[in-house]
Structures are given as C-alpha cells and as structure tokens.
Amino acid sequence: MLTSRRSILTRIGPAAAIGMSSWRQSLLTAASEATASEGATRAGRHCVVLWMSGGPSQLDTFDMKPGTAVGGPLKESQTSVPGLRFSEHLPKLAKQAERLAIMRGVSTKEGDHARGTTLMHTGNPVGTSLRYPSIGSSLSKALALPGQPLPGYVSISPPPIAPQAQSPGFLGPKFAPTRVSSAINEADQNFATLRVDHLHSPLSTESPRYRKRLELWRQQQQTFLADRNVASLDAQQTTYDAAFEMLGSDAKDAFDLTNEPDRVRSAYGAGTFGQGCLMARRLIERGVPMIEVALGDGLGWDTHADNFERVKTLSRELDSGWATLMDELADRGLLESTTFLWAGEFGRTPTINRSGGRDHFPQAFTCVLAGGGIHGGQAFGATANDGAEVVEGKIECKDLMATLCAAVDVDPELENETEEGRPIKISEGIPVDNVLA
Amino acid sequence: MANRFASSTPLSARASITSFALAILTATGAMAQSSQVGVPPDSDLAIPLVMIDRLLDQKLESESQTPVGQSNDAEFCRRLWLDLAGVAPPVWELRSFLADESDDKRSRLIDRLLHSPRFADHMATRYTNSLLPGDVESVPQPDVEALQRWLRQAFLENKPYDHLVGAFLTAGGGTDTGPAIFYTSREADPIKVASATSRLFLGIGIDCAQCHDHPFADWNQNDFWSFAAFFSQLELGENAMPNNRVVEDRIGKELTLMDTDQIIQPRYLGSDEPPEPDPENLRRRQLTIWLASRSNPYFATAAVNRVWAHLFGRGLVNPIDEIDSIEHASHPQLLRYLSAYLIEERFDLRKVYRAIANTRAYQRTSRFDGLRPPQNSYAIMHPKTLSPEQYFDSLRQNIIRRLDPVLSETGMIDLQRQRFVQRMRDRGATPMDYPHGVVQVLGMINGPEMMLATTDSSSGIIAAIEAPFLDDRQRIEALFLASLSRPPTEAESKRFLDYLTDDSINASKPQRWGDLIWVLANSAESFVCP
C-alpha cells in the first residue's frame, strides 16, 4: 500500500526540466533504470535528520503555551498557515509552515541523554543485546542507488555523546555514517569549517603511480581473500572499494563549501549547523540519500539553566539553516524528494526550574516532519494546557520512524537479517497516515 | 581481606579434576578415542589440552565433519604473538622461530609469551577496554592509563583471577589510582555498576530485568534490584584536584525502588538467603566474597568463556556477557570442564591460556578455499580482526621501527597511537567483524600513521633494508616478514620486483619502497590475526 500510493518517477520528473548539470541528469537516468530493473519506486529519495542535541524545548519552539504558568517569556507568532503558530524566533520557518507537520504528541520513556539519543535514532528498544541499526543506516540501505561514489549516509558534526546511536548495528559497517567533523574557526574565516578527514590523497589519483599501487593492492587482496571466505574480510574489501571510489571521484567536491558564494553561505548561517545544511544540499544534489546535521555542539539544547536566552539563539541558527535548505531544495526541484525529521533525544519540562531552565522531559514533546511525502501545514497531536501529558495523537518513537519511512516510500516493515539470520523490521511502528501526503 | 579469598587447596586437587574429566569422557563416550592421542593421558600438562581437543573432536565426529589441517609455523607464530603479546612477531623472532627445528618449539613459545611482560600489557589493554563504558572518550586519558598500570601489575604478578577481581571490586580511592575509574565512569550509580559487574564477571546480562523480567533466563526484577543494592553505599567524594573524584563507601546509604521509599535489601544472585555478614558492613566486600568464590557457579564459567573468546574470536556461549545458560553453549561439557579446571588451578588464568593455546583446535589453519565449516564447530580457525592497538603497535614495532628521539621523547608517537585508536575504535564490534567505515579507511589510506610508515625519513624499515648487503629480493622478503609475518610467494616477489623497476612510474627508490609498504599495510592480511 505504501508503494502504490505514489510514483516517484512523476515526482522527480519535473526536476529534470529545471536545467540541472549533466551529472545529475545521468544520475536520474541511472535512477530510473534502477527503478525499471528492480521494480523499486523509491530511487532518488533523500532523508535529512536535523538532530537537536541535548533535547530541545518544545514549549519554546513548536508547542508553545503563552500566557500560562509553563509558558515562559518567549513570544509566539503566526505562520503562513492559519491557526498554526511557532516561536517568534523561527520567522523563516513560519513562512514555509505549509511544508511542516508538527508532531506534538511524541512520548517516550527515555530521559537519559545516551539512551534517549539511541532510542530516537533507532526507534527500537534500547539496551538489548540486539544491535539495532540507526534509522539513518536502515534508510541509506533502502534508498541506495547503485554505482554511487559518495557514501549513502553522511553525518555532519554529530554530538560526541552516544556515538553508537548512529551505528549500523547488524547491518554492518557498509552502512555506517561517514562523519564530517567541524573545526574551530580560524581568525580569518567567517564560516565554520567542515571536513571529512583524510579525504585527499597525497598522490594524485590520476598518476600512473597511484594506479599501479592500487593494482598491486588489489592483487594482494585477491590472493588472500581467495582462501579466506569470511564476512569480515569481505567487509574490509567493500569498505576499501568505497573509499577508493570516493577518492577517485569529483563527487567528493560536495564536501568543499568554499565553492559556494559567501552570500549563499551567509544565508544558511555561519555556524556549524548552517554550513552543515549547506553541505546537505550539495550532497543531496549529488544523490546522497541520507544526511544528518546536528545542531547544538555537545549538548547545546540541554538547557537546565538559562533556557530562554539559549533557546532563542539556537532557534535563530535552526531557522536560517533549515529554512534556507528547504528553499534552495525547492528551487532545484529536490524538496519533493527530500523528507526532513527534526528531533532531539527528548523534550523539556513544562516546569521552569530555579535556574530559569527546563529539565529532561520524555513524556510529551514535539518532533517535526517536513518536505517530500509529508502533508505539511498542520500540527498532529496535542498536549494538555500545562504541557504535562499528551491528550491527543500520542505516538511513540517507533511510529515516528515508521512515518518517516513511509514518507520516503520505504516500507517500514521491510526486513533485514541479523548476523544470526533473524529477520528484523526497520520499524515496528505504525505510520501516521494523517501526515503523509 | 585477601585471606577471605585464598581457599585452601584440596589435597586431591589433581585427582579431582582428573576424575571430573574421566566422568565427562565416560559420559560422552570419548574414551574410545584416547588411543589416537599421542600425549600420555595421565601427564599433568596433557590432561586439559587432550580433554579440550577430545570434546571438540567428538562433536565434529558426531556431525561427520572433518577438521582442517594444522597451521604452518609462520601462521601459528603470527597468531600466537598477536593473541598473547598483542603485537605481530618482530622479524628476528619470526626468523628464529621458523629456523628452529625442535618438536616442542610451539609449546615453548606459548610458555615464553605467557610469562613475558608483553602478555601483561596486552591483557591490561584488553581488560581496560572491557571495563570502561562505551562512551569512554569522556574519561580522562591519564585515568585510563592508571587503570591500565594497575591491571598490568596484576597480570605481571599473575595474581589469581579471583584475587584480581576481588581487589578490583573493593578498591576505593581516586580515579588516578586505578580501579576507581570503573565506578566514577558510571557516576557510582548502583544500577550501572551492578549491570557492568554482572556482565563482566558473571557473564549475566541481568540488567534486562531492570525494567521487566528477563526474557530468556530466570532473572526477575527483584533479582536485579537486590543485586544492585550491593552498590548502594557507593559515594563520590571530591578530591583536591579537579576532575579527580574519590570512590568511598557510606555505611547506611540504601537503594530504594524507583519512585518509592521502599528500601531494597542486598541478595546474591540465585540465592534467597541474606548475604554473609561483614564486620564493617561493607556491602561491596559482602558481594565480592560471594562473587569471586569457587561456590559461585557463574564466575569461573564467565572467566573461561572470556579466555575462549579471546583466542577463538567467539565464546563457547555468546554473547560472552549474556551467557544465560551453559546449555546454550556450542560445547556445554567443554565449558564445564574448563571452568572446573580454572577452579582446580586456583584461578590461574595463565594455565587456561596455556592449555587452550596448546590444542590442535587452536593451532588449525585458517586457510580454506570453499565453503568454510561453521565457526562454532572449531573445525577451522577463523581470522580475527586486529584491535586498533594491535594494528598500531605492530606497525610501530615492525615498520616505523625507528626509535626517533624526537618521536619518542616528546611522546608524539603515543599521541599518534591514542588518536589512531580513538578513530578506529568500535566498542560494539567483536573480532569477527570488520568494524570500520569509509572514514576510517580514508584514514588508513591517507592518514598520519601511513605517512610515518611509508616516508623514508620516518620509516625505520626503509632505512634498514637499504643495507648494501641485501638484494631487492631479500628486501622484499623483509617487508613481507615485517608486515604479514610470512615470506612472499614467488608470484608476490615477482610483482613487487616489477614495481621497483617499472619505468612508467615517476618515483624514487625509497618512494617505491614506501608504496610497497602501503600496499602491504592496507591489505586485508595485515588487519587480521590469521
């Protein structure tokens, strides 16, 4: 039922008309060929997770309670969708509210950063012996196009806490995220520096020396692997092949933001998140299916003290990066094929503590779905006036993940096998039909 | 404290393990094969290794499987060095091992490595990695090193495993003194500490029962909470130094059930009786007395299962921290036998290592072209992926080599190692996985370690092989011995010689040597313990 609802080919069709460079054209051709040969309808889809590290305050962003005891000093403001209101510090997103579905009824049991981060990345139980893959790994596997030089899952500036949350689990390292790290601004730079370490070979990949050396390496591999047919060595070969392919390809320029005009870089915001969103656009243009961009270096949204000022600053950063990314994708005809999930490990308490902060609150909080496959311009679910509980449209993390899958045309019940051959669904949740386009 | 652990040796120790072995053999019908084994069955050394092979062979036979042949000397030497010393054999060691023609050279090497400080180093590294929680990057490096030093000393003395664990679990003090970091890295939280303790030392994943009764084993929530109550007295005190907290016990501090005032009384796992009284009411000591005792059925089993996993890449029961039931083991009798052996040998872990490393099963080759026998049949050895430490230390010892005063005095090479390990670490992975993604591989291909290893100004081996009395063929042989612990085949030798003289390549001779090192150091073979 999920795949019959719409056809991806008609969605990406108009994109080709907007005059894209030839490599993208050939990519789309490859995509439609893959579609024809494999009977899949999901080729060319993308997913962006905007990760709010630390746990963002729903009450000061997308589910405000102005004028109540739990409301706090920040003001609400009207969006482009009548009746839907966000924080006044999200002005650009407010102008494109018809692209956003605000999920106000998310509820989980994980109030610890590491466990919450893991749950909200996998949608599966935490702390079990089964190593569940992150949703990024699962989706990058499901959405992968053949013959791509770039990695299928790129994670930009991930928080250091709970690195296992993004792990490919039993899917194996082939589906692990390629991490892009951020460097501290040097004095003469206006923008955060993002880079994939060791992406440039000291030897020119065009030189005979590089090629001969590679050939010699392949011969060594072949001889050794011939009588050691084991999964780990196979994985080593696959990962090395992927790395060599990336090194030898121009597509890796996607990671080089200095190619972008300052005007564009500024529009996204100069910080790690803004520049990460810009990188996401460049990666989507080059066919990368799964990207995660983190906001809040370390645990920035963990506002136990001074919540309101900090949320204000973070909201501005979020607003510029996310809104500009959606606009630029829309300009390129790529927004229809790109689905966003905005989430953190949990929400924050309605009660404002003595330090003017809000504490961990997994019982009732907000996540946002947006873009392709999402029926935007609505809030789904509601919390009580005091914010203490979900009174309507309560969903668990697994339902959110199932909805995300459905939005990118991946059946959430698609099964992957563990090392022991046990079939495991991507998500056990139920997609929320109301927010699916 | 210590004498609470020192059990008097039963006079019949040897006799009892022998009769235990005989009982197993009689029960399993393995006696019939005894004549095929060359070692006299009544020799002290022979019993364990003969038993292990016999119990494995018996199952292979019942499943009509044939084990593969034994490893050759080079394969064995690389395997043993990496497993016991944590590093590939130095070239001269390998050469003299290959040249040695005596029959007992393998068992002599086993004994020598088990008694070398390198074994203590390697064990300390392995234990440090398993004792610290997954997000260990947050733990200060000097404190990690303090733990490592503490463990190294314990393994150097060959402290009996029950004493080691006892001393470890009852330790207090600051994080710069060793074991305390086990507690501080878990915020001295009784729940986290209890869960780590049961997984590490009992092989029981009882924390699943934290929120609901255990799905597979008989543990329930009460069991878990009563076990965690042994750590209720833990408290973190501040030290004069920032970031250096002190672990203390506060008598009278109790654990209460989630969101209630209900105090939970400590209880040993699987026991309804109140714990043995302690003169000072120290709960951790009460726990340790039971945990590391020979009457605790889980302790020795978990320990030998860990040794097995170290040497074979997987436990007799998996995962090793969720044993659940011995009956889930691929070879339950063998697991029982090994755990009885460890107890009889008064928790001398080295003896268990020695017994297993001497078996034919451990010494089988890992080469096989075709569909491999299943790993848990032990009909064949499976190659294990090197840990980041094993890979770096081998590269450093055999390739970078040069004891550059600048590199070593400034500690730069240790910093390099630390960065490499951080980049390559994957705590969820087992040695049967290749846990690295594209980013790690890019680091291997273009990273600073590879630059050190392949640039003639920093690579000791390039300088060494340029000695005038060697010809290129011998130089290539030296590279293979250093990188892969074996001589090259004729075809490999020829390919490498061709590269040295290929006119289409624009590179100097030292650069070409660097390229050849790059090829070997990035090959799958250099990533594995064969």
Side-chain angles (χ1 to χ4, degrees), chain B residues 159-170:
Chain B
K159 203 187 258 283
Y161 184 68
D162 54 343
H163 290 220
L164 188 155
V165 174
F168 184 84
L169 281 179
T170 53

Side-chain angles (χ1 to χ4, degrees), chain A residues 75-287:
Chain A
K75 293 201 177 59
E76 211 179 19
S77 139
Q78 184 54 257
T79 68
S80 57
V81 174
L84 190 59
R85 300 167 76 85
F86 303 160
S87 150
E88 63 172 344
H89 302 292
L90 299 167
K92 293 176 187 136
L93 285 170
K95 284 188 193 141
Q96 33 183 304
E98 63 282 351
R99 290 171 174 156
L100 271 54
I102 315 299
M103 311 299 286
R104 286 179 177 158
V106 184
S107 181
T108 83
K109 293 188 173 67
E110 302 293 354
D112 169 79
H113 285 292
R115 290 177 70 93
T117 300
T118 305
L119 173 70
M120 294 300 288
H121 273 86
T122 67
N124 280 304
V126 180
T128 60
S129 59
L130 189 62
R131 298 170 68 209
Y132 286 107
S134 64
I135 191 72
S137 296
S138 298
L139 284 180
S140 70
K141 179 172 186 241
L143 296 174
L145 296 177
Q148 274 294 329
L150 289 175
Y153 178 14
V154 176
S155 178
I156 301 171
S157 180
I161 185 156
Q164 71 277 15
Q166 299 186 350
S167 128
F170 59 74
L171 296 181
K174 195 176 162 193
F175 302 103
T178 292
R179 297 202 164 92
V180 178
S181 53
S182 58
I184 299 155
N185 264 343
E186 285 159 28
D188 59 343
Q189 284 177 323
N190 297 317
F191 303 105
T193 307
L194 294 177
R195 63 149 193 269
V196 178
D197 290 334
H198 315 301
L199 190 54
H200 295 279
S201 169
L203 284 188
S204 159
T205 54
E206 305 292 317
S207 65
R209 184 176 161 201
Y210 179 89
R211 277 186 278 114
K212 289 268 162 97
R213 191 181 72 168
L214 195 55
E215 194 186 313
L216 206 53
W217 176 82
R218 287 197 196 287
Q219 285 164 329
Q220 281 309 115
Q221 289 289 100
Q222 228 165 27
T223 322
F224 187 69
L225 297 185
D227 50 12
R228 282 173 183 88
N229 175 23
V230 295
S232 60
L233 292 173
D234 196 34
Q236 191 258 6
Q237 173 78 43
T238 309
T239 315
Y240 262 77
D241 279 343
F244 286 130
E245 193 163 348
M246 193 158 136
L247 280 174
S249 146
D250 292 339
K252 66 175 185 292
D253 293 345
F255 295 107
D256 186 359
L257 299 183
T258 58
N259 292 326
E260 294 282 341
D262 276 8
R263 176 181 47 80
V264 173
R265 298 191 75 178
S266 305
Y268 277 89
T272 306
F273 179 75
Q275 297 302 296
C277 285
L278 172 55
M279 186 177 284
R281 190 208 78 206
R282 294 173 62 85
L283 293 167
I284 291 167
E285 288 178 301
R286 286 161 180 81

